[in-house]
Amino acid sequence: MTLAYAPVTAEAYLMLGDLQQTLGEYAAAESSFYRALWAGEAGKQDRIAAKAWTRLVYVVGYSQERVGEAQRLVQHADAALRRLGDDEIERASLQSAAGSIAFQQGRYPEAQQRFEQSRTLIEKALGPDSLELAEVLQRLALVYEPLGVWAQAIALERRCLAIFEQRFGSVHPQTADSRRRLAQHLFYNEYFEEALRLAQQALATYERSYPTDDEHIAAALLGVAEILLDMDRGQEALPLTARALDIRSKRRDLWHTDVAEALAAHSAALLQEGQTDSALKEGLRVREIVERTLGTEHIKYAWALADLGRIYAAAGQHRRAYEAHRESLSALERSQVKDVWSIEKQRIEVGRAELALGDGAAALTTLERAVGELERNDSIAILLGDAYLRLAEVLAFLKRDGQRVQRLAQQAIAVYCKQRVGRKRRIAAAERFLALQAPAG
Protein backbone atom coordinates (compact mmCIF):
# COMPACT_ATOMS: atom_id res chain seq x y z
CA MET A 1 0.00 0.00 0.00
CA THR A 2 1.52 3.34 -1.09
CA LEU A 3 -0.19 6.60 -0.17
CA ALA A 4 1.56 9.97 -0.46
CA TYR A 5 -0.20 11.74 2.40
CA ALA A 6 1.06 10.40 5.74
CA PRO A 7 -2.12 10.95 7.83
CA VAL A 8 -4.23 9.09 5.25
CA THR A 9 -1.63 6.32 5.06
CA ALA A 10 -1.67 5.98 8.85
CA GLU A 11 -5.47 5.70 9.03
CA ALA A 12 -5.50 3.17 6.18
CA TYR A 13 -2.91 0.93 7.83
CA LEU A 14 -4.72 1.17 11.15
CA MET A 15 -7.96 0.00 9.53
CA LEU A 16 -6.13 -2.75 7.65
CA GLY A 17 -4.51 -3.98 10.87
CA ASP A 18 -7.88 -4.08 12.62
CA LEU A 19 -9.30 -6.22 9.81
CA GLN A 20 -6.30 -8.55 9.80
CA GLN A 21 -6.51 -9.01 13.55
CA THR A 22 -10.22 -9.85 13.30
CA LEU A 23 -9.34 -12.50 10.70
CA GLY A 24 -6.68 -13.95 12.96
CA GLU A 25 -3.80 -12.80 10.74
CA TYR A 26 -1.77 -11.57 13.69
CA ALA A 27 1.67 -11.22 12.07
CA ALA A 28 0.16 -9.23 9.21
CA ALA A 29 -1.79 -7.08 11.67
CA GLU A 30 1.39 -6.37 13.62
CA SER A 31 3.12 -5.20 10.44
CA SER A 32 0.18 -2.94 9.54
CA PHE A 33 0.06 -1.39 13.00
CA TYR A 34 3.78 -0.59 12.85
CA ARG A 35 3.27 1.03 9.45
CA ALA A 36 0.37 3.03 10.89
CA LEU A 37 2.63 4.09 13.77
CA TRP A 38 5.45 5.23 11.47
CA ALA A 39 3.09 7.09 9.15
CA GLY A 40 1.31 8.67 12.11
CA GLU A 41 4.56 9.91 13.60
CA ALA A 42 5.76 11.16 10.21
CA GLY A 43 2.50 13.04 9.72
CA LYS A 44 2.47 14.36 13.32
CA GLN A 45 -0.73 12.44 14.00
CA ASP A 46 -0.29 11.72 17.71
CA ARG A 47 -3.74 10.21 18.12
CA ILE A 48 -3.20 7.64 15.37
CA ALA A 49 0.27 6.83 16.72
CA ALA A 50 -1.17 6.27 20.20
CA LYS A 51 -3.87 3.98 18.78
CA ALA A 52 -1.23 2.01 16.89
CA TRP A 53 0.89 1.55 20.03
CA THR A 54 -2.15 0.31 21.97
CA ARG A 55 -3.11 -2.15 19.24
CA LEU A 56 0.45 -3.43 19.11
CA VAL A 57 0.30 -4.19 22.84
CA TYR A 58 -2.66 -6.51 22.24
CA VAL A 59 -1.60 -8.19 18.98
CA VAL A 60 2.00 -8.77 20.13
CA GLY A 61 1.48 -9.52 23.81
CA TYR A 62 -1.87 -11.32 23.82
CA SER A 63 -2.53 -12.67 20.33
CA GLN A 64 1.10 -13.75 19.74
CA GLU A 65 2.11 -14.24 23.41
CA ARG A 66 5.38 -12.28 23.18
CA VAL A 67 5.01 -11.00 26.70
CA GLY A 68 8.48 -9.52 27.24
CA GLU A 69 8.19 -7.41 24.12
CA ALA A 70 4.66 -6.39 25.06
CA GLN A 71 5.81 -4.93 28.37
CA ARG A 72 8.03 -2.49 26.46
CA LEU A 73 5.16 -1.69 24.11
CA VAL A 74 2.96 -0.84 27.11
CA GLN A 75 5.53 1.78 28.13
CA HIS A 76 5.60 3.26 24.61
CA ALA A 77 1.81 3.35 24.50
CA ASP A 78 1.63 4.97 27.93
CA ALA A 79 4.10 7.67 26.86
CA ALA A 80 2.16 8.32 23.65
CA LEU A 81 -1.09 8.72 25.60
CA ARG A 82 0.51 11.12 28.06
CA ARG A 83 1.81 13.20 25.18
CA LEU A 84 -1.68 13.16 23.68
CA GLY A 85 -3.27 14.36 26.90
CA ASP A 86 -4.54 11.04 28.25
CA ASP A 87 -7.47 10.33 25.92
CA GLU A 88 -9.92 8.33 28.07
CA ILE A 89 -10.96 5.87 25.36
CA GLU A 90 -7.41 5.03 24.34
CA ARG A 91 -6.32 4.83 27.96
CA ALA A 92 -9.15 2.35 28.53
CA SER A 93 -8.03 0.35 25.47
CA LEU A 94 -4.46 0.19 26.78
CA GLN A 95 -5.61 -0.94 30.22
CA SER A 96 -7.78 -3.61 28.62
CA ALA A 97 -4.95 -4.86 26.40
CA ALA A 98 -2.49 -4.97 29.30
CA GLY A 99 -5.15 -6.70 31.40
CA SER A 100 -5.59 -9.37 28.73
CA ILE A 101 -1.86 -10.10 28.81
CA ALA A 102 -1.89 -10.29 32.62
CA PHE A 103 -4.86 -12.68 32.45
CA GLN A 104 -3.08 -14.89 29.93
CA GLN A 105 -0.06 -15.03 32.23
CA GLY A 106 -2.15 -16.01 35.26
CA ARG A 107 -1.75 -12.64 37.01
CA TYR A 108 -5.44 -12.44 37.82
CA PRO A 109 -5.53 -9.66 40.45
CA GLU A 110 -3.58 -7.36 38.10
CA ALA A 111 -5.87 -8.28 35.22
CA GLN A 112 -8.94 -7.53 37.32
CA GLN A 113 -7.53 -4.15 38.36
CA ARG A 114 -6.77 -3.14 34.78
CA PHE A 115 -10.15 -4.28 33.47
CA GLU A 116 -11.93 -2.41 36.27
CA GLN A 117 -10.02 0.76 35.37
CA SER A 118 -10.89 0.29 31.70
CA ARG A 119 -14.55 -0.24 32.61
CA THR A 120 -14.69 2.98 34.64
CA LEU A 121 -13.13 5.04 31.84
CA ILE A 122 -15.37 3.64 29.10
CA GLU A 123 -18.56 3.92 31.12
CA LYS A 124 -17.72 7.55 31.91
CA ALA A 125 -16.94 8.40 28.28
CA LEU A 126 -19.51 6.34 26.37
CA GLY A 127 -22.27 5.47 28.83
CA PRO A 128 -23.63 2.18 30.19
CA ASP A 129 -24.81 0.60 26.91
CA SER A 130 -21.86 0.93 24.53
CA LEU A 131 -20.33 -1.98 22.64
CA GLU A 132 -16.92 -0.90 23.91
CA LEU A 133 -18.17 -1.35 27.47
CA ALA A 134 -19.59 -4.78 26.62
CA GLU A 135 -16.16 -5.86 25.34
CA VAL A 136 -14.35 -4.95 28.55
CA LEU A 137 -17.13 -6.46 30.68
CA GLN A 138 -16.62 -9.74 28.84
CA ARG A 139 -12.92 -9.68 29.69
CA LEU A 140 -13.68 -8.84 33.31
CA ALA A 141 -16.09 -11.78 33.47
CA LEU A 142 -13.32 -14.08 32.26
CA VAL A 143 -10.94 -12.98 35.01
CA TYR A 144 -13.66 -13.43 37.63
CA GLU A 145 -13.68 -17.21 36.92
CA PRO A 146 -10.24 -18.15 38.32
CA LEU A 147 -10.81 -15.64 41.11
CA GLY A 148 -13.90 -17.62 42.10
CA VAL A 149 -16.31 -14.70 41.61
CA TRP A 150 -18.79 -16.87 39.75
CA ALA A 151 -22.06 -15.02 40.31
CA GLN A 152 -20.55 -11.68 39.25
CA ALA A 153 -19.13 -13.25 36.09
CA ILE A 154 -22.54 -14.55 35.08
CA ALA A 155 -24.19 -11.20 35.88
CA LEU A 156 -21.67 -9.36 33.68
CA GLU A 157 -22.24 -11.72 30.77
CA ARG A 158 -26.01 -11.28 31.08
CA ARG A 159 -25.51 -7.52 30.93
CA CYS A 160 -23.32 -7.91 27.84
CA LEU A 161 -25.95 -10.04 26.12
CA ALA A 162 -28.59 -7.40 26.85
CA ILE A 163 -26.36 -4.73 25.23
CA PHE A 164 -25.86 -6.83 22.09
CA GLU A 165 -29.55 -7.72 21.82
CA GLN A 166 -30.49 -4.05 22.14
CA ARG A 167 -27.94 -3.00 19.51
CA PHE A 168 -28.15 -5.84 16.98
CA GLY A 169 -31.27 -7.90 17.72
CA SER A 170 -31.54 -11.51 18.84
CA VAL A 171 -30.29 -13.30 15.71
CA HIS A 172 -27.17 -11.29 14.87
CA PRO A 173 -23.80 -13.14 14.89
CA GLN A 174 -22.37 -10.77 17.50
CA THR A 175 -25.34 -11.47 19.74
CA ALA A 176 -24.63 -15.16 19.20
CA ASP A 177 -21.02 -14.57 20.30
CA SER A 178 -22.34 -13.10 23.54
CA ARG A 179 -24.72 -16.03 24.02
CA ARG A 180 -21.82 -18.45 23.66
CA ARG A 181 -19.82 -16.65 26.31
CA LEU A 182 -22.75 -16.61 28.75
CA ALA A 183 -23.34 -20.29 28.03
CA GLN A 184 -19.71 -21.01 28.90
CA HIS A 185 -19.99 -19.30 32.29
CA LEU A 186 -23.26 -21.07 33.05
CA PHE A 187 -21.69 -24.39 32.04
CA TYR A 188 -18.74 -23.88 34.38
CA ASN A 189 -21.24 -23.37 37.19
CA GLU A 190 -23.27 -26.47 36.26
CA TYR A 191 -26.34 -24.66 34.98
CA PHE A 192 -26.34 -27.20 32.19
CA GLU A 193 -29.84 -26.83 30.76
CA GLU A 194 -29.69 -23.06 30.29
CA ALA A 195 -26.10 -23.27 29.05
CA LEU A 196 -27.05 -25.89 26.47
CA ARG A 197 -30.05 -23.88 25.26
CA LEU A 198 -27.95 -20.72 24.76
CA ALA A 199 -25.10 -22.61 23.08
CA GLN A 200 -27.53 -24.28 20.68
CA GLN A 201 -29.14 -20.91 19.87
CA ALA A 202 -25.71 -19.46 19.08
CA LEU A 203 -24.92 -22.42 16.82
CA ALA A 204 -28.24 -21.98 14.98
CA THR A 205 -27.45 -18.29 14.36
CA TYR A 206 -24.00 -19.15 13.00
CA GLU A 207 -25.48 -21.82 10.73
CA ARG A 208 -27.73 -19.15 9.21
CA SER A 209 -24.98 -16.51 9.00
CA TYR A 210 -21.80 -18.26 7.87
CA PRO A 211 -20.70 -20.88 5.32
CA THR A 212 -20.97 -24.46 6.53
CA ASP A 213 -17.19 -24.76 6.97
CA ASP A 214 -16.71 -21.50 8.91
CA GLU A 215 -14.61 -21.41 12.09
CA HIS A 216 -17.49 -19.82 14.04
CA ILE A 217 -19.52 -22.97 13.41
CA ALA A 218 -16.66 -25.25 14.42
CA ALA A 219 -16.17 -23.36 17.69
CA ALA A 220 -19.91 -23.40 18.44
CA LEU A 221 -20.13 -27.13 17.73
CA LEU A 222 -17.36 -27.72 20.26
CA GLY A 223 -19.12 -25.48 22.77
CA VAL A 224 -22.36 -27.47 22.53
CA ALA A 225 -20.45 -30.76 22.65
CA GLU A 226 -18.54 -29.74 25.79
CA ILE A 227 -21.79 -29.15 27.65
CA LEU A 228 -23.31 -32.42 26.41
CA LEU A 229 -20.23 -34.32 27.56
CA ASP A 230 -20.52 -32.93 31.06
CA MET A 231 -24.16 -34.01 31.03
CA ASP A 232 -23.00 -37.57 30.12
CA ARG A 233 -24.60 -37.28 26.68
CA GLY A 234 -21.59 -38.45 24.71
CA GLN A 235 -23.68 -40.07 21.99
CA GLU A 236 -25.06 -36.64 21.05
CA ALA A 237 -21.69 -34.93 21.43
CA LEU A 238 -19.73 -37.35 19.23
CA PRO A 239 -21.11 -36.26 15.81
CA LEU A 240 -20.73 -32.59 16.77
CA THR A 241 -17.06 -33.04 17.62
CA ALA A 242 -16.55 -35.07 14.45
CA ARG A 243 -18.00 -32.25 12.34
CA ALA A 244 -15.91 -29.60 14.12
CA LEU A 245 -12.79 -31.72 13.60
CA ASP A 246 -13.63 -32.10 9.91
CA ILE A 247 -14.07 -28.31 9.48
CA ARG A 248 -10.80 -27.47 11.19
CA SER A 249 -8.85 -30.24 9.49
CA LYS A 250 -9.86 -28.83 6.11
CA ARG A 251 -9.31 -25.18 7.00
CA ARG A 252 -6.09 -25.51 9.01
CA ASP A 253 -2.76 -27.23 8.79
CA LEU A 254 -3.07 -30.62 10.49
CA TRP A 255 -0.44 -29.52 13.02
CA HIS A 256 -2.43 -26.44 14.03
CA THR A 257 -3.49 -26.21 17.68
CA ASP A 258 -7.09 -25.52 16.62
CA VAL A 259 -7.09 -29.01 15.10
CA ALA A 260 -5.68 -30.34 18.37
CA GLU A 261 -8.51 -28.68 20.31
CA ALA A 262 -11.16 -30.33 18.13
CA LEU A 263 -9.31 -33.64 18.29
CA ALA A 264 -9.24 -33.46 22.10
CA ALA A 265 -13.01 -32.92 22.20
CA HIS A 266 -13.58 -35.82 19.80
CA SER A 267 -11.32 -37.99 21.97
CA ALA A 268 -13.36 -37.08 25.07
CA ALA A 269 -16.58 -38.05 23.28
CA LEU A 270 -15.09 -41.36 22.16
CA LEU A 271 -13.99 -42.05 25.72
CA GLN A 272 -17.47 -41.40 27.07
CA GLU A 273 -18.88 -43.80 24.50
CA GLY A 274 -16.51 -46.53 25.66
CA GLN A 275 -14.17 -46.36 22.66
CA THR A 276 -11.10 -46.16 24.85
CA ASP A 277 -8.52 -47.32 22.29
CA SER A 278 -9.62 -44.73 19.73
CA ALA A 279 -9.76 -42.03 22.42
CA LEU A 280 -6.21 -42.87 23.50
CA LYS A 281 -4.92 -42.78 19.93
CA GLU A 282 -6.38 -39.32 19.43
CA GLY A 283 -5.20 -38.12 22.85
CA LEU A 284 -1.65 -39.12 21.94
CA ARG A 285 -2.01 -37.25 18.65
CA VAL A 286 -3.14 -34.12 20.53
CA ARG A 287 -0.05 -34.28 22.71
CA GLU A 288 2.15 -34.72 19.63
CA ILE A 289 0.65 -31.66 17.89
CA VAL A 290 0.93 -29.42 20.94
CA GLU A 291 4.47 -30.56 21.74
CA ARG A 292 5.65 -29.94 18.18
CA THR A 293 3.78 -26.65 17.71
CA LEU A 294 4.02 -24.99 21.12
CA GLY A 295 6.67 -26.97 23.01
CA THR A 296 6.66 -28.67 26.38
CA GLU A 297 6.74 -25.40 28.32
CA HIS A 298 3.33 -24.25 27.07
CA ILE A 299 0.26 -24.60 29.25
CA LYS A 300 -1.64 -26.37 26.46
CA TYR A 301 0.94 -29.17 26.58
CA ALA A 302 0.07 -29.65 30.25
CA TRP A 303 -3.63 -29.78 29.38
CA ALA A 304 -2.99 -32.42 26.72
CA LEU A 305 -1.18 -34.55 29.29
CA ALA A 306 -4.04 -34.12 31.76
CA ASP A 307 -6.48 -35.39 29.13
CA LEU A 308 -4.22 -38.40 28.56
CA GLY A 309 -4.20 -39.06 32.28
CA ARG A 310 -7.99 -39.24 32.33
CA ILE A 311 -8.00 -41.64 29.35
CA TYR A 312 -5.43 -43.92 30.96
CA ALA A 313 -7.41 -43.92 34.21
CA ALA A 314 -10.59 -44.90 32.37
CA ALA A 315 -8.66 -47.71 30.69
CA GLY A 316 -7.48 -48.97 34.08
CA GLN A 317 -3.87 -48.06 33.29
CA HIS A 318 -3.32 -46.31 36.61
CA ARG A 319 0.47 -46.20 36.45
CA ARG A 320 0.37 -44.42 33.09
CA ALA A 321 -2.40 -42.16 34.37
CA TYR A 322 -0.20 -41.16 37.29
CA GLU A 323 2.79 -40.54 34.99
CA ALA A 324 0.71 -38.35 32.66
CA HIS A 325 -0.71 -36.28 35.53
CA ARG A 326 2.71 -36.01 37.15
CA GLU A 327 4.25 -34.80 33.88
CA SER A 328 1.35 -32.38 33.41
CA LEU A 329 1.98 -30.89 36.84
CA SER A 330 5.70 -30.55 36.08
CA ALA A 331 4.89 -28.81 32.77
CA LEU A 332 2.59 -26.36 34.55
CA GLU A 333 5.24 -25.59 37.14
CA ARG A 334 7.80 -24.99 34.35
CA SER A 335 5.44 -22.83 32.33
CA GLN A 336 5.92 -19.07 32.14
CA VAL A 337 2.21 -18.83 33.01
CA LYS A 338 2.11 -19.24 36.78
CA ASP A 339 -1.53 -20.25 36.94
CA VAL A 340 -2.22 -21.36 40.52
CA TRP A 341 -5.65 -22.68 39.54
CA SER A 342 -4.27 -25.05 36.87
CA ILE A 343 -1.25 -26.10 38.96
CA GLU A 344 -3.27 -27.02 42.03
CA LYS A 345 -6.05 -28.62 39.99
CA GLN A 346 -3.45 -30.90 38.46
CA ARG A 347 -1.82 -31.54 41.84
CA ILE A 348 -5.20 -32.81 43.04
CA GLU A 349 -5.33 -35.13 40.00
CA VAL A 350 -1.86 -36.45 40.87
CA GLY A 351 -3.10 -37.20 44.37
CA ARG A 352 -6.11 -39.07 42.99
CA ALA A 353 -3.83 -41.08 40.68
CA GLU A 354 -1.55 -41.97 43.59
CA LEU A 355 -4.56 -43.15 45.58
CA ALA A 356 -5.72 -45.27 42.61
CA LEU A 357 -2.30 -46.94 42.72
CA GLY A 358 -2.85 -47.69 46.40
CA ASP A 359 -0.09 -45.32 47.49
CA GLY A 360 -2.01 -43.57 50.22
CA ALA A 361 1.09 -42.08 51.83
CA ALA A 362 2.14 -40.33 48.61
CA ALA A 363 -1.42 -39.16 47.97
CA LEU A 364 -1.56 -37.76 51.50
CA THR A 365 1.62 -35.73 50.98
CA THR A 366 0.44 -34.44 47.59
CA LEU A 367 -3.01 -33.41 48.76
CA GLU A 368 -1.79 -31.84 52.00
CA ARG A 369 0.39 -29.61 49.85
CA ALA A 370 -2.52 -28.78 47.53
CA VAL A 371 -4.68 -27.80 50.51
CA GLY A 372 -1.88 -25.62 51.91
CA GLU A 373 -1.32 -23.84 48.59
CA LEU A 374 -5.03 -23.24 48.05
CA GLU A 375 -5.61 -21.98 51.58
CA ARG A 376 -2.97 -19.35 50.83
CA ASN A 377 -4.87 -18.43 47.64
CA ASP A 378 -8.41 -18.14 48.93
CA SER A 379 -9.58 -16.39 45.74
CA ILE A 380 -9.95 -19.84 44.12
CA ALA A 381 -12.10 -21.33 46.85
CA ILE A 382 -14.07 -23.81 44.73
CA LEU A 383 -10.88 -25.77 44.06
CA LEU A 384 -10.09 -25.73 47.77
CA GLY A 385 -13.36 -27.58 48.32
CA ASP A 386 -12.20 -30.27 45.87
CA ALA A 387 -8.85 -30.53 47.69
CA TYR A 388 -10.57 -30.91 51.08
CA LEU A 389 -12.75 -33.72 49.75
CA ARG A 390 -9.89 -35.62 48.06
CA LEU A 391 -7.78 -35.32 51.20
CA ALA A 392 -10.67 -36.69 53.25
CA GLU A 393 -10.88 -39.66 50.86
CA VAL A 394 -7.17 -40.39 51.33
CA LEU A 395 -7.41 -40.24 55.12
CA ALA A 396 -10.42 -42.56 55.01
CA PHE A 397 -8.45 -44.96 52.80
CA LEU A 398 -5.60 -44.90 55.31
CA LYS A 399 -8.10 -45.32 58.17
CA ARG A 400 -6.65 -42.29 59.94
CA ASP A 401 -8.22 -39.55 62.04
CA GLY A 402 -11.90 -40.14 61.45
CA GLN A 403 -12.78 -36.82 63.04
CA ARG A 404 -10.58 -34.94 60.58
CA VAL A 405 -12.11 -36.92 57.70
CA GLN A 406 -15.57 -35.70 58.67
CA ARG A 407 -14.32 -32.17 59.30
CA LEU A 408 -12.68 -31.98 55.85
CA ALA A 409 -15.84 -33.22 54.13
CA GLN A 410 -17.87 -30.63 56.03
CA GLN A 411 -15.37 -27.94 55.04
CA ALA A 412 -15.74 -28.98 51.39
CA ILE A 413 -19.52 -28.68 51.60
CA ALA A 414 -19.20 -25.26 53.26
CA VAL A 415 -16.92 -24.05 50.45
CA TYR A 416 -19.28 -25.30 47.76
CA CYS A 417 -22.32 -23.76 49.46
CA LYS A 418 -20.63 -20.36 49.64
CA GLN A 419 -20.35 -20.29 45.84
CA ARG A 420 -24.14 -19.90 45.66
CA VAL A 421 -24.21 -20.96 42.01
CA GLY A 422 -24.49 -24.37 40.38
CA ARG A 423 -22.45 -26.57 42.69
CA LYS A 424 -25.13 -29.21 43.26
CA ARG A 425 -23.13 -32.19 42.02
CA ARG A 426 -20.11 -31.36 44.17
CA ILE A 427 -22.26 -30.84 47.25
CA ALA A 428 -24.13 -34.11 46.62
CA ALA A 429 -20.86 -36.03 46.21
CA ALA A 430 -19.46 -34.58 49.44
CA GLU A 431 -22.68 -35.36 51.33
CA ARG A 432 -22.64 -38.98 50.08
CA PHE A 433 -19.03 -39.36 51.21
CA LEU A 434 -19.83 -37.82 54.60
CA ALA A 435 -22.78 -40.18 55.07
CA LEU A 436 -20.52 -43.17 54.46
CA GLN A 437 -18.20 -41.98 57.24
CA ALA A 438 -20.96 -41.85 59.84
CA PRO A 439 -20.48 -44.50 62.55
CA ALA A 440 -22.81 -47.47 62.30
CA GLY A 441 -25.79 -47.73 64.61
Side-chain angles (χ1 to χ4, degrees), residues 419-440:
Q419 300 306 304
R420 293 179 298 178
V421 287
R423 294 296 156 198
K424 292 181 180 178
R425 291 200 305 183
R426 278 185 166 94
I427 293 170
E431 288 176 338
R432 284 195 300 271
F433 172 81
L434 189 58
L436 290 173
Q437 308 311 309

Side-chain angles (χ1 to χ4, degrees), residues 169-334:
S170 61
V171 294
H172 192 279
Q174 284 189 258
T175 306
D177 293 344
S178 184
R179 278 203 184 91
R180 275 188 59 216
R181 283 185 290 268
L182 175 56
Q184 194 74 17
H185 286 281
L186 290 166
F187 162 66
Y188 288 152
N189 288 279
E190 300 175 8
Y191 290 123
F192 295 124
E193 295 297 339
E194 185 181 2
L196 181 60
R197 176 176 57 79
L198 289 168
Q200 289 172 331
Q201 288 174 350
L203 175 59
T205 298
Y206 291 154
E207 297 272 23
R208 289 192 295 267
S209 305
Y210 297 113
T212 56
D213 64 345
D214 189 85
E215 168 57 26
H216 287 83
I217 293 175
L221 287 165
L222 293 176
V224 174
E226 183 179 27
I227 299 167
L228 289 170
L229 285 169
D230 228 51
M231 298 173 75
D232 296 322
R233 292 163 62 176
Q235 185 175 10
E236 296 171 67
L238 187 57
L240 302 182
T241 60
R243 185 180 168 200
L245 179 58
D246 181 65
I247 292 172
R248 287 188 170 175
S249 296
K250 290 176 179 177
R251 290 179 62 87
R252 305 284 196 187
D253 181 280
L254 291 180
W255 290 94
H256 198 284
T257 53
D258 282 354
V259 175
E261 181 187 32
L263 197 60
H266 191 248
S267 173
L270 288 170
L271 182 65
Q272 197 168 107
E273 286 302 286
Q275 300 180 45
T276 309
D277 290 344
S278 296
L280 179 57
K281 181 180 178 180
E282 292 190 354
L284 290 168
R285 173 63 178 161
V286 171
R287 182 183 65 179
E288 183 183 16
I289 293 172
V290 174
E291 182 175 2
R292 172 170 162 173
T293 307
L294 300 175
T296 60
E297 305 298 314
H298 199 281
I299 195 169
K300 289 184 179 179
Y301 179 71
W303 294 343
L305 289 169
D307 287 342
L308 270 178
R310 285 186 283 273
I311 297 170
Y312 283 131
Q317 299 182 42
H318 297 300
R319 172 58 59 183
R320 287 189 173 182
Y322 164 74
E323 291 169 352
H325 285 305
R326 178 75 253 179
E327 189 180 352
S328 175
L329 177 58
S330 297
L332 286 165
E333 290 176 329
R334 292 194 309 269

Side-chain angles (χ1 to χ4, degrees), residues 125-142:
L126 300 177
D129 299 315
S130 69
L131 295 178
E132 291 83 357
L133 178 63
E135 181 180 346
V136 76
L137 291 179
Q138 288 162 356
R139 295 180 184 181
L140 185 56
L142 281 175

